[in-house]
Amino acid sequence: MKFSLKTLTYLSIAALSLISASAMPVNTAVTNNSHQINTNKQVINKKTHENVKLSQQLAKEGYTFRLTPGNSDQGLQKKVAGLNNPHMKRSTLKKLIKNKTNFKVYRVWEYKNGLMYKAVSKSGKYRGGVDDTNLYNKHYTDKSLQPVIKMEKKAINVLGGAPTTTKVNRERSRRYLNKALMNAQQLHGKERKIAINSVKQTKSYVKTFNVARTPTLLWQKI
């Protein structure tokens, strides 16, 4: 089965909610006047837990993510089981998409059937919960990163979407990853850092194919 981020991320259930400002330690710029997806405090289900390590990892990537174009109806779902309706106006959402507003993911919640990402805009004015089907990495289309991305996809595709595969395919995947790293090391500055970090994420991802470990550079527009 060929790797398709769109297919993969639909394994996650789109979840949209808020964590109150007092529960958000990463970005202190958010104020009580920010446009919130849901202004009511939410009680987190006991079966829901924060993936602290992944939260810290994504937060370090900074304001790298944007809302997916064309998802103005689904980027902020009207109803999520057990939660009240979101309060952000559709016109505001479309404006954020049109302006390519950058967001940082500062918290990741895991629950039985999926993941929920808490994101905040650089200004701190907009924040809320989305899943990775509604976010894309702004660097995904960078021309200089395409050789790295191409090899990463090959490393994933050759394994058929599962860590249990033949020895031959595992070796092919390893060679593709080595090539991706070589391509990354030829870059400079910020792009080099992004590329090398992505290769590390891909190496981790192909060990388990855990959706939570999907390389963030491969979060693309859908």
Side-chain angles (χ1 to χ4, degrees), residues 202-222:
T202 305
K203 286 183 177 180
S204 175
Y205 173 71
V206 296
K207 292 178 181 178
T208 62
F209 281 84
N210 184 337
V211 174
R213 294 298 179 182
T214 303
T216 55
L217 184 58
L218 301 185
W219 290 14
Q220 63 193 77
K221 294 181 181 181
I222 57 174

Side-chain angles (χ1 to χ4, degrees), residues 46-57:
K46 292 181 180 180
K47 294 183 179 180
T48 303
H49 67 280
E50 179 184 2
N51 186 323
V52 177
K53 185 177 181 179
L54 188 55
S55 296
Q56 294 172 344
Q57 172 193 313

Side-chain angles (χ1 to χ4, degrees), residues 54 56-62 64-65 137 139 145 148 152 177 180-181 183-185 187 189-205 213-218:
L54 188 55
Q56 294 172 344
Q57 172 193 313
L58 293 180
K60 287 180 181 179
E61 295 193 24
T64 303
F65 305 100
N137 193 314
H139 298 297
L145 294 174
V148 177
E152 288 179 337
L177 286 173
L181 182 59
N183 291 339
Q185 291 173 336
L187 299 174
K190 185 177 180 180
E191 290 180 334
R192 186 176 191 273
K193 182 178 180 181
I194 291 171
I196 290 177
N197 182 54
S198 183
V199 174
K200 289 180 180 178
Q201 290 182 10
T202 305
K203 286 183 177 180
S204 175
Y205 173 71
R213 294 298 179 182
T214 303
T216 55
L217 184 58
L218 301 185

